[in-house]
Amino acid sequence: MTTATTTKPSYYAICENSNLASFCQVCVNYRVCCLIAETDVCLVRSLIRLDDYNSDLRLLKSKRDALYSRLAQALVAKGKADDQHNWRDLQNEKLARLRGKLRLRKQQVSQGKAKIENKSHDQKVKYELLESAMNLVEKIRTQQIEKYYPNLICTQSLGLMAITSKRLHKQSVIIKQIFKLFPQRRVHIDGERKDGYGGPYATICNARLPRGLDPHSVPPKNLAPH
């Protein structure tokens, strides 16, 4: 924007020189108007430049926002890629540890199977030896029984008789001790009773005692107080 300025002749010759100060009122007013016009021109130019600067700043701001948005998207994508990479590394480490554990377990299982097979073989051999020994013992026992069978029966019968005599002796001793501790009363029944048990018998505290050592001489229901 350009403005044309025209110079008017002043009333005084001394005022015509622009390098000198004016003395008349008209020249002073004219000079003031010229200064104001020049100031307005400078102000307009400054406003135009400021408007241009504002437009440039808005354009730069939009570019900056676009760059920030692209940078944020790039950072998000990079973060996701880093997370995936870290996750893959972690999973690979876990898989490596699991493979190591699996290999160790396989070795332990193979060693355990070998031990079990060895123990099974040893147990089988021992069982076969034990079975053969038991068969041999059974064979010898059968031969001994076949050879000494009569003597075995006689020995068992004698042992049973000895045990029975010992029990009867102990029973008689106990009954005699009971007779000494508790008073006895003799009861005599004339005739034969319906239950087949008759004749005299002894009682202790109204309990009927058997004759001698024969427990069948007294009915079971009469072994209680009357």
Side-chain angles (χ1 to χ4, degrees):
M1 180 178 180
T2 59
T3 57
T5 58
T6 59
T7 59
K8 295 181 179 181
S10 61
Y11 294 98
Y12 301 97
I14 195 171
C15 295
E16 292 180 357
N17 191 358
S18 60
N19 294 325
L20 298 176
S22 299
F23 292 97
C24 63
Q25 183 179 1
V26 176
C27 292
V28 170
N29 291 334
Y30 176 74
R31 288 297 181 94
V32 169
C33 290
C34 289
L35 290 174
I36 291 172
E38 291 177 357
T39 303
D40 291 339
V41 170
C42 293
L43 182 61
V44 169
R45 290 178 179 175
S46 299
L47 290 174
I48 292 172
R49 285 196 298 271
L50 287 175
D51 191 17
D52 294 336
Y53 290 156
N54 191 14
S55 299
D56 294 337
L57 287 175
R58 288 180 181 176
L59 181 61
L60 292 174
K61 183 180 179 182
S62 62
K63 289 182 179 180
R64 183 197 65 182
D65 294 338
L67 291 174
Y68 278 166
S69 177
R70 290 173 59 186
L71 180 61
Q73 293 177 359
L75 290 175
V76 170
K78 186 177 182 300
K80 290 182 179 180
D82 293 338
D83 292 339
Q84 291 179 357
H85 182 71
N86 295 330
W87 182 82
R88 283 195 297 269
D89 292 340
L90 182 61
Q91 296 300 320
N92 290 330
E93 291 178 359
K94 289 183 179 179
L95 288 174
R97 288 196 297 269
L98 290 175
R99 289 192 185 98
K101 290 182 179 180
L102 180 60
R103 184 167 53 254
L104 181 61
R105 292 292 186 273
K106 286 182 178 179
Q107 293 177 358
Q108 292 177 353
V109 168
S110 61
Q111 293 175 359
K113 286 183 178 179
K115 290 181 180 179
I116 290 172
E117 289 178 357
N118 293 331
K119 289 184 178 180
S120 299
H121 180 69
D122 295 339
Q123 292 292 333
K124 185 177 180 181
V125 172
K126 291 180 181 179
Y127 181 76
E128 290 177 354
L129 292 174
L130 181 61
E131 187 176 3
S132 62
M134 289 179 64
N135 293 331
L136 181 60
V137 170
E138 185 67 24
K139 183 178 179 180
I140 294 172
R141 179 176 174 274
T142 304
Q143 292 176 357
Q144 294 293 329
I145 289 174
E146 290 177 355
K147 184 177 180 180
Y148 301 102
Y149 184 75
N151 295 331
L152 179 62
I153 293 177
C154 182
T155 303
Q156 289 180 352
S157 299
L158 292 175
L160 182 61
M161 290 175 63
I163 293 171
T164 304
S165 63
K166 286 182 180 180
R167 291 183 62 186
L168 292 174
H169 177 69
K170 289 181 180 180
Q171 185 177 359
S172 64
V173 171
I174 292 171
I175 291 175
K176 288 179 181 179
Q177 290 177 356
I178 291 173
F179 288 168
K180 291 179 181 179
L181 292 175
F182 299 98
Q184 302 181 36
R185 188 168 65 89
R186 301 292 297 180
V187 178
H188 182 74
I189 298 176
D190 296 333
E192 189 73 18
R193 297 181 61 180
K194 294 181 180 180
D195 53 6
Y197 297 93
Y201 60 89
T203 60
I204 294 178
C205 298
N206 295 327
R208 186 173 177 177
L209 299 176
R211 295 189 185 95
L213 299 177
D214 186 11
H216 300 288
S217 61
V218 178
K221 64 180 181 179
N222 291 332
L223 292 175
H226 292 172

